[in-house]
Every structure is written in C-alpha cells, then in structure tokens.
Amino acid sequence: MESLDGLFAAAGGDELAAVPDSQPHQSGDMVVQAGLMVVEPSPQRFADLWDVCCGARRPDSLDSWKQHEQGFLTLYFDGDRGVNACGPGEPRPQWRLLPAKYNFNVRYHLRPLYTGITPASAALVHFACCKPWDPKQRHYAPPAYVELFLAFVRALGLPWTPGLCAMDELREQEQQRKMQQIMLERQGEP
C-alpha cells in the first residue's frame, strides 16, 4: 500500500525484524508473524537455520512447534527465552518488533494488534488464511479488502483466474486426517 523502503531502517540492523502474530499477541505472547520479515542476509545464519530446521540439530518437526514456522523462528531468534518470553515486565524478544502496519492481516483485522489501522494507513496488506483468489478462503476476507486486491490486480493488468492454494489444500487435508484420528481414538474409549 506504500513504499516498503522504510522497513530496512525500521529493522535497525537486527538479524530479524517482524510484526508479531495477532493471535498469540492477544494473550501477551510475541511470536514472529512470518508473512513478512526483514532478515539480515547471512550465509552462516542460513546454514545454521537449515541445520536446526532440517539437519542434525533438528529437535522437532515444524508441526510440533507452537505456531509452526513462526514458533520455530521465534524460538531461534529468542534463544533460551522461548516463545513465552514477553510477559509483563519481562525483556522484549531479541528480534525487533515492527509496527503492525507492515503486516496488516486482513482476516484478523479486528484483533487488538491492528487497532487504528485501516486500508488507508496499512503499509502492507496480508491475506493470510483468506486468499481472495481461493474460492474456499475468500469469504474470510471483508469484501472491501477483496475489492482492494482486485483493483491492484486490474491496475497491473494481470490475468485473473481464481484457483485453490496447494499448501492450503494440504493443510486442510492434514487437519481432516488429524480430526479423523482423534475421532477414531475416542470411539475406542469406554
């Protein structure tokens, strides 16, 4: 919605800068919202992240981390303080918090993190879990934001074809599989 050049200055030279995720933010947790991040380029950091996430030092699967990749990044950059390090009176995370206007999540626009932010004041609009191009998700986005997205697409002259998001389909299938497993386990209980 506006130039993102200011993000590099807002990152202040920290290795990672991001807006917190709006869901855990409601309970006081500061978790990296991975939809938009400013990451200092570093081949050494990339190799270390890869080793922790996919190599010999991998402690868990992404599914087992709270908030998946967001939990992984938060734990990695917060060190031993972990995901719940930001309770009242506790130190801020080692990653730099960016203003919420840099990752304004349309689906969750009414959450406290976004108070006072509108389409006119957001720097970046994020369609997490409410992709306007996906017929299964577009109803989660308020119509004004879908229109905003469509105006952007038209202004760029992009061909428009609604379609399903493969990752979202896979996530939905996995959630259904987990729900079926829970139901089967409960049926076996006395």
Side-chain angles (χ1 to χ4, degrees):
M1 301 297 295
E2 68 180 46
S3 170
L4 299 179
D5 292 344
L7 277 174
F8 299 104
D14 288 329
E15 293 176 354
L16 173 72
V19 173
D21 186 273
S22 66
Q23 175 65 32
H25 180 265
Q26 292 184 133
S27 62
D29 293 341
M30 293 295 180
V31 177
V32 170
Q33 178 19 278
L36 176 117
M37 305 178 301
V38 179
V39 182
E40 179 182 60
S42 165
Q44 296 81 14
R45 177 72 62 204
F46 176 81
D48 194 47
L49 281 163
W50 186 265
D51 192 41
V52 173
C53 183
C54 301
R57 292 173 39 219
R58 180 180 179 156
D60 294 308
S61 71
L62 285 178
D63 259 0
S64 64
W65 273 306
K66 187 177 180 180
Q67 283 90 30
H68 306 287
E69 79 281 4
Q70 297 178 166
F72 166 71
L73 290 166
T74 303
L75 287 170
Y76 183 88
F77 284 97
D78 273 355
D80 61 359
R81 292 182 290 175
V83 174
N84 296 313
C86 295
E90 294 184 10
R92 303 303 285 173
Q94 293 175 3
W95 52 279
R96 182 174 299 254
L97 295 170
L98 293 174
K101 76 175 198 158
Y102 285 115
N103 200 347
F104 180 62
N105 193 321
V106 170
R107 182 168 182 185
Y108 307 116
H109 69 280
L110 296 176
R111 290 188 175 161
L113 179 65
Y114 305 119
T115 299
I117 300 176
T118 67
S121 62
L124 184 132
V125 175
H126 183 178
F127 288 96
C129 302
C130 65
K131 312 293 189 229
W133 54 87
D134 187 330
K136 290 185 176 183
Q137 290 187 10
R138 75 172 61 144
H139 66 279
Y140 292 121
Y145 293 102
V146 174
E147 284 300 318
L148 182 68
F149 175 79
L150 292 173
F152 174 76
V153 168
R154 286 184 205 109
L156 291 176
L158 298 174
W160 176 252
T161 307
L164 301 176
C165 299
M167 284 304 298
D168 295 329
E169 283 291 304
L170 290 173
R171 183 178 61 224
E172 188 173 310
Q173 289 170 8
E174 180 62 15
Q175 288 172 347
Q176 288 174 357
R177 186 195 65 73
K178 287 178 181 178
M179 183 58 74
Q180 288 172 348
Q181 181 65 34
I182 290 169
M183 297 306 289
L184 285 173
E185 289 171 4
R186 288 195 175 165
Q187 287 175 356
E189 293 177 4

